[in-house]
Amino acid sequence: PPDSNIIQHAPPHLEFFNDIGGFVNNGTEYEIWPGQGRSTPAPWINVMANPGFGCFVSETGGGYTWAGNSRENKLTTWSNDPVVDGEAEALYIKDDVTKKIWSISPKPIRDSGEYVIEHGYGFSTFKHEANEILGEMTVFADMNESIKICRIKLKNIGEVKRKLSLTYYAKLVLV
């Protein structure tokens, strides 16, 4: 399960901190702390690919996936808008009892809580606490196969037993 100390109220020491993020782990990862009401000036993406398959994910959790050729063989939509971060892919979490819906990444549903986004070589990780659930989502592409993986870790930090559903949305491109 995710570490219960993943969400803090102030960024840890980050190299070259710019009020939104900075480098960690000797410069091999970039950590983004988008704080309440703040965002990066434009979508900051991480490309993860092997010779025959790839995907990218932005700091908001928006993504795009392709096979073979990123321009010619889109699996999900991509708008190529340098300002707006489209929502072609998204993960929703729903409490089946209270009917509350939220996300681990800032999109599709951003709440007032803190988010931590880590872009590293070949992966991106999102961390967020909402509704007494610690969530962590790591996105990566397999090094050899045409597979995109979203590994989800959830930890109930409340006293009430929970029943949750996860739904992954993908706006597919039809050929």
Side-chain angles (χ1 to χ4, degrees):
D3 181 359
S4 61
N5 296 321
I6 60 173
I7 305 299
Q8 302 173 13
H9 296 291
H13 173 73
L14 298 174
E15 295 180 65
F16 304 104
F17 182 64
N18 64 7
D19 201 37
I20 294 177
F23 291 96
V24 294
N25 294 331
N26 296 319
T28 61
E29 296 174 23
Y30 194 83
E31 205 167 90
I32 301 168
W33 290 70
Q36 195 164 358
R38 290 185 313 170
S39 297
T40 56
W44 292 12
I45 66 167
N46 190 10
V47 178
M48 300 158 277
N50 62 42
F53 179 84
C55 62
F56 76 62
V57 66
S58 74
E59 86 291 347
T60 66
Y64 160 62
T65 305
W66 68 87
N69 180 299
S70 63
R71 191 179 107 203
E72 302 298 326
N73 295 321
K74 298 173 183 79
L75 299 177
T76 58
T77 61
W78 180 47
S79 69
N80 196 23
D81 188 320
V83 178
V84 177
D85 189 9
E87 294 181 22
E89 300 181 35
L91 175 77
Y92 295 88
I93 300 171
K94 178 182 176 186
D95 184 310
D96 292 336
V97 176
T98 67
K99 306 302 183 200
K100 288 185 180 178
I101 300 172
W102 69 95
S103 57
I104 299 171
S105 56
K107 279 190 177 181
I109 303 171
R110 186 170 185 165
D111 60 37
S112 61
E114 292 288 333
Y115 294 86
V116 179
I117 300 100
E118 301 165 353
H119 284 324
Y121 292 120
F123 73 94
S124 287
T125 298
F126 300 83
K127 299 174 184 177
H128 180 61
E129 177 185 335
N131 303 303
E132 297 187 316
I133 301 292
L134 287 174
E136 181 178 305
M137 174 174 70
T138 301
V139 179
F140 59 98
D142 187 89
M143 292 178 65
N144 302 305
E145 302 297 324
S146 297
I147 299 171
K148 175 181 178 178
I149 299 170
C150 295
R151 183 182 66 207
I152 311 300
K153 295 180 182 181
L154 301 173
K155 181 179 181 181
N156 183 355
I157 57 172
E159 299 296 321
V160 178
K161 188 175 180 177
R162 308 294 286 277
K163 183 176 180 187
L164 305 174
S165 298
L166 284 85
T167 303
Y168 194 82
Y169 166 81
K171 187 174 183 179
L172 300 175
V173 175
L174 299 176
V175 185

